[in-house]
């Protein structure tokens, strides 16, 4: 017997469309470009091997985002990477390579948040997805998204006041 | 929340070329290469658990339809579901969000060519010798309770089903020929 075909999707096109966004998303969670690359690579590997079927491009995008976020959560758990840091500790960060200073500031701010708040803050405020879209991507209710955004804003404002 | 400069700086971050090469090279290889070491350790443990269960499973009936034969370590799979693992309890951490990783070694006996498709997980490490093809079906069992692997050759096909039995709290595997 010879296996003649393992079902696969066209990964190249999907990579070109979504890799930057997924990499930024992973970077905002893992705070390290090497780990972010590992996470995104795993997502594309899963995409290639599992060949999930999608209703449309939005469904595909949501799957990729959700899988990336879940992979980041897994990596944070398995590697026992801490979920959040105080702003004092953040100044010690030097994991970002080839990222402009303003971008570094964003990641530093995000890293002070618990990981689930970080996810919705990144998707909504930085990637520009609506509350409804974030809810669909993460398979949570819109009110849960709104609550996490509110809590994320409050935490960030509180932390920034502390620093001042 | 973030000022325009910060948002633009964030949006200007692009995936490194190294990632592109890694992802597109992965596409050409049928094996998993980018997993973390901790996942490999868990997988090894899962493999061991699967092997133990296979020994227990010897003695279940043979498949009545002989067009395909699918076996795990010498035990033919049949329509009668047999337990894959009795170690669900050992994955109690998995219930609190971690994935349950299943590694299922299958041996397919069939003359001719076949098309193998799984609805979840990955198929890897396939090798062929004396009409027998060995594949390893790896599954991150994180949400679904049913996984299928379909083997098609001409008009014949068979479906290997992996189902989590909530009542017995274990995975069961079966094979149905069509």
């Amino acid at each position: 017997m010879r296996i003649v075909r393992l079902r696969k999707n066209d990964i190249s096109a999907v990579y070109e469309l979504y890799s930057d966004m997924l990499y930024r998303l992973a970077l905002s969670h893992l705070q390290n470009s090497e780990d972010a690359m590992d996470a995104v690579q795993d997502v594309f590997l899963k995409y290639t091997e599992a060949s999930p079927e999608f209703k449309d491009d939005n469904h595909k995008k949501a799957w990729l985002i959700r899988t990336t976020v879940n992979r980041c959560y897994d990596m944070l758990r398995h590697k026992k990477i801490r979920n959040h840091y105080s702003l004092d500790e953040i100044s010690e960060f030097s994991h970002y390579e080839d990222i402009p200073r303003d971008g570094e500031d964003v990641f530093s701010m995000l890293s002070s948040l618990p990981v689930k708040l970080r996810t919705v803050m990144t998707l909504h405020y930085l990637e520009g997805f609506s509350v409804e879209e974030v809810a669909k991507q993460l398979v949570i209710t819109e009110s849960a998204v709104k609550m996490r955004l509110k809590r994320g804003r409050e935490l960030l404002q509180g932390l920034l006041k502390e620093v001042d | 929340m973030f000022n325009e400069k910060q948002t633009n700086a964030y949006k200007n971050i692009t995936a490194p070329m190294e990632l592109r090469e890694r992802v597109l090279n992965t596409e050409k290889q049928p094996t998993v290469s980018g997993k973390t070491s901790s996942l490999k350790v868990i997988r090894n443990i899962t493999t061991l658990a699967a092997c133990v269960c296979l020994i227990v499973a010897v003695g279940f009936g043979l498949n009545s339809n002989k067009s395909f034969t699918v076996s795990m370590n010498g035990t033919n799979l049949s329509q009668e579901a047999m337990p894959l693992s009795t170690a669900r309890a050992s994955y109690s951490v998995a219930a609190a969000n971690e994935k349950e990783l299943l590694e299922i070694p299958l041996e397919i006996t069939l003359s001719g060519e076949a098309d193998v498709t799984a609805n979840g997980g990955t198929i890897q490490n396939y090798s062929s010798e004396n009409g027998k093809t060995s594949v390893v079906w790896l599954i991150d069992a994180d949400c679904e309770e049913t996984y299928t692997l379909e083997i098609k050759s001409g008009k014949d096909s068979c479906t290997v089903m992996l189902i989590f039995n909530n009542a017995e709290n274990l995975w069961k595997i079966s094979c149905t020929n069509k």
Side-chain angles (χ1 to χ4, degrees):
Chain A
M1 176 196 150
R2 182 167 68 88
I3 295 174
V4 292
R5 183 173 66 89
L6 295 178
R7 194 175 51 158
K8 290 192 175 190
N9 283 318
D10 176 14
I11 197 169
S12 305
V14 178
Y15 181 88
E16 299 305 335
L17 268 176
Y18 301 113
S19 59
D20 290 343
M21 178 188 64
L22 299 180
Y23 174 71
R24 288 193 298 263
L25 186 59
L27 197 57
S28 74
H29 283 79
L30 302 170
Q31 313 289 316
N32 177 301
S33 45
E34 196 58 42
D35 286 341
M37 280 198 286
D38 282 349
V40 176
Q41 185 183 5
D42 285 350
V43 170
F44 279 104
L45 186 71
K46 187 168 184 176
Y47 178 84
T48 308
E49 299 292 351
S51 292
E53 286 173 12
F54 302 107
K55 287 182 283 188
D56 52 35
D57 284 348
N58 280 337
H59 185 205
K60 183 189 287 183
K61 193 197 288 184
W63 184 91
L64 288 166
I65 288 171
R66 188 166 58 252
T67 307
T68 303
V69 168
N70 286 338
R71 184 74 194 107
C72 291
Y73 290 173
D74 282 347
M75 288 176 74
L76 287 167
R77 262 197 307 272
H78 286 301
K79 292 188 171 186
K80 299 194 190 307
I81 295 171
R82 285 167 59 189
N83 270 351
H84 59 280
Y85 297 82
S86 70
L87 282 188
D88 287 341
E89 290 171 301
I90 289 162
S91 60
E92 294 167 13
F93 270 59
S94 57
H95 300 297
Y96 313 113
E97 292 161 13
D98 306 323
I99 294 175
R101 176 73 205 167
D102 288 317
E104 245 185 74
D105 290 345
V106 171
F107 289 127
S108 295
M109 287 166 77
L110 286 171
S111 68
S112 66
L113 297 175
V115 71
K116 286 191 175 176
L117 305 188
R118 203 183 305 169
T119 306
V120 293
M121 295 290 278
T122 304
L123 290 171
H124 183 66
Y125 287 114
L126 296 169
E127 293 296 344
F129 291 112
S130 68
V131 168
E132 185 188 356
E133 285 171 320
V134 175
K136 278 182 184 164
Q137 286 157 359
L138 302 179
V139 197
I140 56 177
T141 62
E142 286 183 38
S143 57
V145 175
K146 285 176 188 167
M147 198 170 67
R148 289 180 196 185
L149 287 172
K150 181 174 177 284
R151 195 158 146 61
R153 283 192 304 266
E154 286 169 354
L155 275 174
L156 276 185
Q157 281 159 1
L159 286 165
L160 289 170
K161 271 181 196 168
E162 273 179 32
V163 169
D164 291 341
Chain B
M1 193 70 248
F2 301 101
N3 65 39
E4 200 180 334
K5 255 187 172 180
Q6 289 171 327
T7 310
N8 287 340
Y10 172 88
K11 287 257 183 185
N12 285 335
I13 295 168
T14 55
M17 280 306 290
E18 184 193 338
L19 177 61
R20 189 177 199 283
E21 284 160 23
R22 279 164 56 173
V23 169
L24 298 185
N25 285 339
T26 304
E27 184 192 21
K28 292 168 192 162
Q29 298 166 1
T31 54
V32 176
S33 62
K35 298 291 174 187
T36 60
S37 56
S38 57
L39 283 181
K40 282 177 185 166
V41 171
I42 295 169
R43 278 192 176 154
N44 288 339
I45 294 167
T46 315
T47 310
L48 184 63
C51 291
V52 170
C53 294
L54 288 171
I55 294 164
V56 174
V58 171
F60 278 79
L62 296 177
N63 199 323
S64 57
N65 189 332
K66 297 295 181 187
S67 58
F68 284 86
T69 308
V70 183
S71 60
M72 289 193 306
N73 288 1
T75 304
N76 283 18
L77 300 181
S78 69
Q79 287 183 357
E80 186 179 350
M82 61 186 203
L84 176 73
S85 170
T86 54
R88 179 75 171 182
S90 68
Y91 298 117
S92 55
V93 183
N97 287 335
E98 282 192 27
K99 288 174 183 173
E100 188 171 8
L101 297 162
L102 306 171
E103 186 168 337
I104 305 160
L106 297 173
E107 206 168 59
I108 304 160
T109 308
L110 169 75
S111 58
E113 295 182 334
D115 189 357
V116 180
T117 308
N119 78 333
T122 61
I123 306 163
Q124 61 171 255
N125 294 342
Y126 60 85
S127 62
S128 197
E129 206 173 289
N130 301 327
K132 286 186 176 181
T133 297
S134 300
V135 299
V136 178
W137 188 16
L138 288 172
I139 298 170
D140 289 343
D142 53 347
C143 51
E144 299 298 329
E145 293 194 341
T146 304
Y147 294 90
T148 59
L149 181 142
E150 194 171 21
I151 305 161
K152 276 186 183 171
S153 179
K155 289 178 182 173
D156 297 323
S157 69
C158 82
T159 304
V160 177
M161 287 196 78
L162 184 68
I163 298 172
F164 186 73
N165 185 315
N166 281 307
E168 296 178 54
N169 207 35
L170 51 80
W171 288 96
K172 287 194 165 186
I173 191 164
S174 63
C175 179
T176 310
N177 287 65
K178 289 173 187 170

